[in-house]
Amino acid sequence: MSRCDSVRAGWRHRAVLGCLLIGLVGAACLTTATRAAQGEASAVPKDARAARAQLGRTATTAELKAWDIDVRPDFQGLPPGRGTVAQGQKVWDARCASCHGDFGESNAVFTPIAGGTTAADIASGRVAAMTGAQPYRTSLMKLSTVSTLWDYIRRAMPWDAPKSLTVDEVYAVTAYILNLGDIVPADFTLSDANIDEVQRKLPNRNGMTTAHGLWPGRGKPDTRNTACMANCADKVEVTSLIPEYARGAHGDLAAQQRGFGPVRGIATGSPEDAPQPGDKGQGKAEATTAAAQPVGAKLTGQYQCLACHAQDRKMVGPSFHEIAQRYQGKDAHGALVQKIRSGGQGAWGPVPMPPQPQVPESDIQAMVKWILEAK
């Protein structure tokens, strides 16, 4: 045994002995303390014991103020402040865009914040696409109170440093998000003095329901279920995997991807739909038809482009025919490649085109070539 090994072995031996001694001493002290406490409890007068039971103290005004930061729908609790759309864009680019995209169009993880609303929605106060065939729900489509947006940004954003934004920065970021949804103009300044005016312009301000037990005064729950406290499992297992008996219960989840952002999910189709040798990643039912498709057409299906685009009709986004006609005779290949890779908004309407950073460059090139040649 080397000298270093001897030293380490001796250190471990002493450490074990030390832990044993500490444990014995601690146990003895605990026993002594318990006996002393029992004896003391019997010796202390009843009134003194009652007074000792009054633990803690009343919170100070400053302590309550530090916790009382919520903002109600009627804007009670909203602190004074102001911020412009331009200031909000600077804060957004520095603190928010890495997760939510440059214009709120999302990235590989988070859902879009803006998009899916129209001028008609702003006029009516109810987002029509919420009851239609819109393939996704953005934050501004669902938002019914500006206070919710303001309060959430102040409490929880940015996710890696919550509550680090100043009050004016929260006003500015809120103004920028509202501008992305065409709710306020680009030169707008949001403040505690005019935020109630903005509330009256929210696209889904009339979309909140109060017909449930969680709303004050309803007096009854919004469910008829009863609590079951019998035959409970001895051991609870938490897993993020789909159990085998549930796979395929709702079809192939991989084919039901969200209509925005990069594709993600797990294949849960039945075994006969699974890729077979020689199918090149497709099921038997699709192999024959797909074999006759151009490479670009196959890729638009593989990367879920067809969730928003069709070849010959407008859906959420323009048809491939419309795109080909707009850029006919123009050198637009590079621009469209960049559009798919980085995303964008405004060229074809209010719905954002999400970035697709996960798609290989060669596949983007093939899809753009096919789209521009669409007849």
Side-chain angles (χ1 to χ4, degrees):
M1 179 182 295
S2 68
R3 178 177 177 81
C4 292
D5 291 335
S6 299
V7 171
R8 281 195 292 267
W11 179 85
R12 285 195 296 269
H13 180 69
R14 288 191 293 273
V16 171
L17 289 177
C19 291
L20 291 174
L21 289 173
I22 291 172
L24 291 173
V25 172
C29 292
L30 181 60
T31 302
T32 302
T34 302
R35 290 172 179 169
Q38 292 173 345
E40 181 183 359
S42 61
V44 175
K46 184 177 180 180
D47 292 343
R49 291 201 302 272
R52 184 175 294 178
Q54 300 296 323
L55 303 177
R57 58 173 175 77
T58 302
T60 66
T61 302
E63 289 169 339
L64 290 175
K65 185 178 180 181
W67 284 101
D68 186 19
I69 63 171
D70 63 298
V71 181
R72 294 186 355 182
D74 60 1
F75 302 111
Q76 286 196 36
L78 185 72
R82 64 201 312 271
T84 67
V85 172
Q87 292 168 340
Q89 183 173 7
K90 292 180 181 179
V91 177
W92 182 275
D93 291 343
R95 307 292 299 277
C96 314
S98 59
C99 287
H100 297 290
D102 291 338
F103 302 102
E105 73 277 16
S106 88
N107 61 5
V109 178
F110 298 96
T111 57
I113 291 178
T117 60
T118 66
D121 298 332
I122 296 175
S124 68
R126 190 72 174 97
V127 176
M130 288 291 288
T131 57
Q134 185 81 1
Y136 61 84
R137 303 289 187 263
T138 69
S139 299
L140 289 185
M141 287 174 64
K142 298 179 288 185
L143 187 69
S144 58
T145 55
V146 181
S147 60
T148 301
L149 179 63
W150 196 100
D151 194 34
Y152 186 79
I153 295 172
R154 186 192 189 192
R155 289 170 179 259
M157 293 289 110
W159 75 272
D160 59 341
K163 300 182 183 178
S164 63
L165 297 179
T166 67
V167 169
D168 286 346
E169 286 176 331
V170 176
Y171 274 105
V173 171
T174 304
Y176 178 65
I177 293 174
L178 295 171
N179 175 251
L180 291 176
D182 296 323
I183 300 168
V184 300
D187 59 353
F188 187 76
T189 299
L190 180 66
S191 70
D192 56 303
N194 64 9
I195 195 169
D196 59 332
E197 300 174 11
V198 177
Q199 172 65 35
R200 294 193 286 271
K201 298 179 181 178
L202 273 190
N204 204 44
R205 61 187 177 275
N206 297 325
M208 178 188 294
T209 177
T210 60
H212 52 75
L214 297 178
W215 195 259
R218 291 291 181 268
K220 59 181 180 180
D222 56 354
T223 177
R224 297 178 181 177
N225 295 336
T226 57
C228 174
M229 301 303 294
N231 300 322
C232 300
D234 295 331
K235 181 180 179 182
V236 178
E237 296 183 0
V238 180
T239 177
S240 61
L241 300 178
I242 301 176
E244 286 301 323
Y245 66 83
R247 293 179 68 89
H250 298 282
D252 187 2
L253 297 183
Q256 303 170 29
Q257 299 300 325
R258 59 183 188 171
F260 52 88
V263 176
R264 62 187 184 186
I266 182 172
T268 58
S270 57
E272 57 267 22
D273 293 329
Q276 303 295 326
D279 288 349
K280 298 183 179 180
Q282 295 162 321
K284 292 179 179 179
E286 301 172 336
T288 303
T289 303
Q293 289 184 319
V295 174
K298 295 178 184 178
L299 293 173
T300 58
Q302 176 181 334
Y303 293 114
Q304 301 297 311
C305 304
L306 302 182
C308 292
H309 303 277
Q311 185 167 353
D312 55 358
R313 68 187 187 282
K314 177 177 175 58
M315 293 175 59
V316 178
S319 69
F320 295 135
H321 286 175
E322 290 178 296
I323 298 173
Q325 290 174 1
R326 171 176 287 193
Y327 296 105
Q328 187 175 12
K330 301 178 181 178
D331 184 14
H333 188 96
L336 290 181
V337 167
Q338 182 63 26
K339 175 75 71 174
I340 295 175
R341 185 188 300 112
S342 303
Q345 183 179 4
W348 294 92
V351 180
M353 167 68 184
Q356 303 291 335
Q358 87 288 359
V359 181
E361 180 69 20
S362 59
D363 289 353
I364 294 180
Q365 295 283 349
M367 285 190 289
V368 169
K369 182 177 183 297
W370 177 76
I371 291 171
L372 290 176
E373 295 174 352
K375 299 295 187 293

